[in-house]
């Protein structure tokens, strides 16, 4: 049994909005990335997982407990970071954390202290005076202060600066090492690439692709750009039967897209030529997704 299960979840808000027959699961110790553009259905799915919304059909469960039936228990135990946070006014961050400690029954403040240090948060100012980033950090610390085994994070790094985003990714990797199970929604490719074992893409309320990013990287075509020393060399090379994605006579360049199986013979061929530059363009999850969205096609390569 998976720790987190989304089983044919449907919630139709009308006009094609909502989530439709969404299935996903996260096993113990796994970090699962839920990627999709604005309005795709990430928060809707997460709100169902946390038991804030009732499914129209299908179900969601955490640790074998139906989210809707056991919402109070799950909301108490799971480390949930919402996409949008509203703090009460009229208190300081420290007062707010104390209140949360009581509600959560946190008696040992050591982990909270560690979180404050990790995220460089000084909570001793009024909630109203806090910058957006500081509020987000406070939300992060609040969600994790009871050291939960399961983390459900809705765009956790939005509003954080790049250095804090890196710190957050390191924190997620550390938590994964400690055996935590993590469900993370995002539209930041780098974040999911760096932290997730499996990624699903949701679009218009439907899962359109699911894959292991490492497998995808290995199996994806490779792109090389070669610049030749003179026109004759360039002309000779461009008669080869490769998949040229672009050729530039003025710059004496060619850009080639290769399957893994073609790389050895390509390198043997190219060694016969006088070249002035050779560049490999590493696979980028971002390029892949952008292409995927633009072409609007269902990815069938890696399952
Ligand atoms: N309570 C609601 N009533 C009506 N429509 C809703 C409701 N909640 C969400 N929607 C619609 O469902 C779709 C999915 O919204 P959702 O908030 O899940 O997207 P998201 O993937 O989290 O987007 P974002 O990246 O912008 O946070 C959107 O079209 C949204 O307008
Ligand atoms: Mg959202």
């Amino acid at each position: 049994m998976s720790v987190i299960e989304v089983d044919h979840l449907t919630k139709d808000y009308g006009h094609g909005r909502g989530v439709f027959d969404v299935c996903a699961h996260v096993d113990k110790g796994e970090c699962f990335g839920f990627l999709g553009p604005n309005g795709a259905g990430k928060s809707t799915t997460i709100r169902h997982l946390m038991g804030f919304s009732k499914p129209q059909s299908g179900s969601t469960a955490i640790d074998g407990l139906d989210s809707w039936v056991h919402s109070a228990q799950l909301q108490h135990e799971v480390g949930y970071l919402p996409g949008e946070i509203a703090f009460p006014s009229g208190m300081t961050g420290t007062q707010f954390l104390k209140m949360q400690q009581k509600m959560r029954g946190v008696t040992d403040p050591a982990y909270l202290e560690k979180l404050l240090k990790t995220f460089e948060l000084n909570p001793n100012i009024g909630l109203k005076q806090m910058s957006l980033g500081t509020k987000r950090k406070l939300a992060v610390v609040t969600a994790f202060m009871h050291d939960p085994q399961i983390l459900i994070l809705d765009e956790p790094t939005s509003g954080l600066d790049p250095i804090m985003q890196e710190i957050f990714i390191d924190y997620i990797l550390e938590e994964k090492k400690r055996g935590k199970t993590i469900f993370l929604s995002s539209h930041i490719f780098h974040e999911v690439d760096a932290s997730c074992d499996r990624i699903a893409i949701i679009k218009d309320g439907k899962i359109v692709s699911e894959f292991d990013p490492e497998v995808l990287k290995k199996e994806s075509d490779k792109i090389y750009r070669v610049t030749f020393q003179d026109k004759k060399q360039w002309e000779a090379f461009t008669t080869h039967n490769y998949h040229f994605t672009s050729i530039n006579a003025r710059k004496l360049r060619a850009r080639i897209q290769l399957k893994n199986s073609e790389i050895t013979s390509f390198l043997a061929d190219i060694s016969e030529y006088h070249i002035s530059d050779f560049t490999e363009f590493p696979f980028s999850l971002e390029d892949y997704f952008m292409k995927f969205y633009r072409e609007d096609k269902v990815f069938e390569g890696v399952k």
Side-chain angles (χ1 to χ4, degrees), residues 249-260:
R250 193 173 57 81
K251 291 188 174 168
L252 305 178
R253 267 187 193 159
R255 196 185 268 255
I256 306 106
Q257 182 173 339
L258 297 170
K259 304 227 168 303
N260 281 338

Side-chain angles (χ1 to χ4, degrees), residues 229-266:
Q229 285 185 1
D230 59 55
K231 187 139 196 192
K232 260 198 179 150
Q233 294 273 305
W234 176 84
E235 277 173 350
F237 185 78
T238 51
T239 61
H240 280 275
N241 196 20
Y242 285 119
H243 176 201
F244 292 100
T245 57
S246 72
I247 47 176
N248 186 324
R250 193 173 57 81
K251 291 188 174 168
L252 305 178
R253 267 187 193 159
R255 196 185 268 255
I256 306 106
Q257 182 173 339
L258 297 170
K259 304 227 168 303
N260 281 338
S261 57
E262 296 173 306
I263 292 174
T264 311
S265 65
F266 165 72

Side-chain angles (χ1 to χ4, degrees), residues 1-271:
M1 187 187 68
S2 297
V3 174
I4 298 173
E5 299 249 23
V6 181
D7 187 19
H8 298 281
L9 176 69
T10 295
K11 180 71 145 244
D12 188 346
Y13 290 122
H15 308 285
R17 293 173 170 193
V19 291
F20 306 94
D21 204 29
V22 167
C23 291
H25 66 96
V26 193
D27 294 330
K28 176 152 179 44
E30 206 181 16
C31 182
F32 178 80
F34 202 43
L35 205 81
N38 292 134
K42 302 181 294 295
S43 299
T44 301
T45 305
I46 287 178
R47 278 199 304 272
H48 281 83
L49 267 173
M50 290 305 301
F52 295 119
S53 302
K54 189 176 180 192
Q56 205 164 344
S57 63
S59 62
T60 65
I62 297 178
D63 254 348
L65 301 174
D66 182 277
S67 307
W68 181 247
V69 177
H70 298 276
S71 59
Q73 182 184 342
L74 293 175
Q75 286 163 23
H76 187 70
E77 288 172 6
V78 171
Y80 169 54
L81 184 63
E84 284 165 28
I85 304 140
F87 288 111
S89 53
M91 56 168 92
T92 66
T94 308
Q95 286 165 337
F96 179 75
L97 285 172
K98 285 223 166 92
M99 186 180 86
Q100 291 292 323
Q101 263 178 317
K102 254 196 202 150
M103 276 169 59
R104 293 240 182 234
V106 179
T107 46
D108 177 9
Y111 193 68
L112 173 60
E113 288 302 325
K114 181 180 171 280
L115 288 171
L116 292 174
K117 223 173 165 180
T118 303
F119 293 104
E120 297 167 17
L121 174 64
N122 171 13
N124 210 10
I125 54 168
L127 291 168
K128 241 187 157 177
Q129 282 77 47
M130 284 183 179
S131 70
L132 176 67
T134 308
K135 278 188 194 149
R136 290 294 303 182
K137 287 192 216 174
L138 181 65
V140 167
V141 170
T142 306
F144 304 152
M145 59 159 62
H146 58 304
D147 201 8
Q149 287 305 307
I150 300 164
L151 308 181
I152 297 194
L153 314 172
D154 196 356
E155 295 186 32
T157 61
S158 79
L160 298 181
D161 67 34
I163 292 176
M164 247 331 122
Q165 288 187 0
E166 288 303 318
I167 289 175
F168 190 87
I169 290 169
D170 288 346
Y171 173 78
I172 291 293
L173 294 174
E174 278 301 312
E175 290 298 279
K176 212 165 72 169
K177 271 193 213 149
R178 294 176 67 214
K180 305 272 178 105
T181 305
I182 304 163
F183 185 109
L184 179 155
S185 93
S186 180
H187 36 77
I188 303 175
F189 310 107
H190 164 65
E191 180 174 290
V192 284
D193 191 16
S195 58
C196 295
D197 307 299
R198 221 149 35 78
I199 297 173
I201 305 177
I202 184 165
K203 190 180 177 193
D204 300 331
K206 294 181 188 125
I207 304 259
V208 290
S209 175
E210 193 187 319
F211 54 88
D212 172 337
E214 292 310 313
V215 173
L216 182 65
K217 273 176 216 172
K218 259 191 224 137
E219 295 192 353
S220 292
D221 290 355
K222 305 289 178 296
I223 308 272
Y224 296 93
R225 188 188 67 195
V226 188
T227 309
F228 295 86
Q229 285 185 1
D230 59 55
K231 187 139 196 192
K232 260 198 179 150
Q233 294 273 305
W234 176 84
E235 277 173 350
F237 185 78
T238 51
T239 61
H240 280 275
N241 196 20
Y242 285 119
H243 176 201
F244 292 100
T245 57
S246 72
I247 47 176
N248 186 324
R250 193 173 57 81
K251 291 188 174 168
L252 305 178
R253 267 187 193 159
R255 196 185 268 255
I256 306 106
Q257 182 173 339
L258 297 170
K259 304 227 168 303
N260 281 338
S261 57
E262 296 173 306
I263 292 174
T264 311
S265 65
F266 165 72
L267 292 176
D269 282 347
I270 207 74
S271 67

